[in-house]
Amino acid sequence: MTELSQALRAIGSSVDELLGRLIPMPEGPEGQLLDAMRYSALAGGKRLRPFLVVSSADVFNVPQSYALRVAAAIEMVHAYSLVHDDLPCMDDDDMRRGRPTVHIKYNEATAVLTGDALLTLAFEVIADDETHPEPAVRAELVAMLAKRAGSHGMVGGQMIDLLAEHESLDAGEITRLQQLKTGALIAFSCEAGAILGRADKPERHALLAYAHDLGLAFQIADDLLDYEGDASVVGKAVGKDLEAGKATLVSILGADQARIQAEMLADQAVRHLDLFGKKADSLREIADFVVNRSS
Ligand code: GRG
């Protein structure tokens, strides 16, 4: 196993352990909701966003216990977005991370409520003083997560994506959609490290620029997996974009050019990290993983 896979696995285990403590055990009349929250948030996944939070925070020597709480909150928001995205009124998927989606295992109403409860718990976790002793830091994290997850961030991107099924977007419009739908949470993962570490403006700017290019590279890799990946390895249905006639950078540029574009973006992302020296090595390594992953 490479050092990067070991680090990803270690951060994944720490986040799983924390999520297991933060999401209450199923009991009482609302037990089914808590069960579904645990089912969706503790279902594996690459834990890329936690890796980005911890690695960005490491650049500023932030205690890992703070970064892990933000990482757990981001995974709650990420899990909520996947549960809602899988619903019949959105992408209508039966499988996620190799298991039945939440509305298949439970029912649609439970899936809606599971997403709602994960999103609100994420904010409760960040606002708690265990996340950072300074109220101003916690407030900034709360405000930034709201912005990145909301109508001018992930949810806005999802809206554009749904509308795009009935129109053909050009490469620029697709790029903006992806910046919002996928890139916004990746951006927050890196920004959170800078907020926790009270980074100065140039440092924040560099991390955001890195996250911007990384997010686009990540999405092209995701589209390539949908185009040519193996459903049993990816853990969800593939070929969905083609089937829905949805324009992606892969359908516009072709798979080979799209792969070149993803690699160029990953290289460009890494160049934004120059001012951090060796402290940003983990962020450099993950950029390569993002474009060459198989799931
Ligand atoms: C429904 C509010 C709402 C938002 C949905 C993120 C999203 C917006 C939808 C997910 C659909 C999708 C497949 C987006 C492409 C990129 C993406 C977020 C892939 C899944 O993320 P990974 O690969 O998943 O990090 P794991 O399972 O590894 O955590």
Side-chain angles (χ1 to χ4, degrees):
M1 199 189 285
T2 64
E3 259 179 54
L4 178 68
S5 338
Q6 276 174 11
L8 261 171
R9 194 174 276 205
I11 291 171
S13 315
S14 302
V15 163
D16 280 358
E17 191 268 323
L18 186 56
L19 284 167
R21 281 193 282 124
L22 292 170
I23 307 174
M25 292 303 283
E27 59 180 3
E30 66 274 47
Q32 176 164 311
L33 175 65
L34 298 167
D35 198 51
M37 288 165 76
R38 298 180 73 86
Y39 179 81
S40 56
L42 290 165
K46 294 178 290 298
R47 305 306 195 200
L48 168 71
R49 295 157 192 80
F51 185 92
L52 291 173
V53 184
V54 170
S55 302
S56 306
D58 261 356
V59 171
F60 306 102
N61 303 316
V62 173
Q64 202 177 86
S65 59
Y66 299 167
L68 282 172
R69 285 183 64 89
V70 179
I74 294 178
E75 279 299 295
M76 289 177 196
V77 176
H78 175 52
Y80 125 73
S81 77
L82 299 179
V83 171
H84 281 192
D85 184 65
D86 289 334
L87 282 165
C89 61
M90 298 220 193
D91 218 28
D92 194 9
D93 276 302
D94 291 353
M95 295 293 283
R96 165 75 60 188
R97 293 168 167 168
R99 301 202 298 176
T101 46
V102 174
H103 65 277
I104 296 291
K105 183 166 166 68
Y106 301 87
N107 54 53
E108 281 182 38
T110 304
V112 171
L113 295 174
T114 298
D116 296 343
L118 284 168
L119 176 63
T120 41
L121 181 57
F123 285 100
E124 188 181 331
V125 168
I126 290 190
D128 190 285
D129 59 12
E130 275 191 51
T131 300
H132 197 280
E134 291 175 44
V137 168
R138 303 199 300 272
E140 194 177 350
L141 288 168
V142 164
M144 190 59 86
L145 178 57
K147 183 171 167 185
R148 298 296 181 213
S151 53
H152 285 102
M154 182 180 73
V155 175
Q158 178 76 349
M159 184 77 248
I160 301 171
D161 196 30
L162 291 172
L163 296 173
E165 284 174 18
H166 311 286
E167 21 179 308
S168 52
L169 303 188
D170 63 26
E173 290 166 326
I174 293 173
T175 301
R176 174 157 189 273
L177 181 173
Q178 294 176 343
Q179 264 169 350
L180 297 179
K181 185 176 118 169
T182 315
L185 216 50
I186 289 181
F188 178 68
S189 305
C190 297
E191 284 174 305
I195 295 172
L196 285 166
R198 308 221 114 188
D200 63 24
K201 260 196 175 165
E203 290 168 332
R204 282 180 190 227
H205 189 265
L207 272 177
L208 193 56
Y210 161 83
H212 173 271
D213 294 338
L214 188 79
L216 289 175
F218 174 90
Q219 183 60 54
I220 296 176
D222 203 71
D223 293 339
L224 281 165
L225 286 174
D226 185 71
Y227 181 73
E228 59 192 12
D230 177 341
S232 64
V233 181
V234 180
K236 61 180 180 181
V238 294
K240 293 207 63 166
D241 293 340
L242 203 62
E243 194 185 307
K246 199 154 120 188
T248 66
L249 289 183
V250 174
S251 70
I252 289 183
L253 302 174
D256 290 346
Q257 270 307 115
R259 193 180 312 284
I260 291 171
Q261 181 77 13
E263 278 162 10
M264 271 170 44
L265 282 160
D267 288 347
Q268 194 171 293
V270 163
R271 284 201 293 277
H272 293 299
L273 300 172
D274 286 353
L275 76 162
F276 300 120
K278 283 190 77 57
K279 279 189 148 301
D281 276 354
S282 300
L283 293 173
R284 291 186 182 92
E285 282 164 32
I286 201 73
D288 182 54
F289 166 84
V290 157
V291 286
N292 291 309
R293 64 205 168 92
S294 56
S295 70

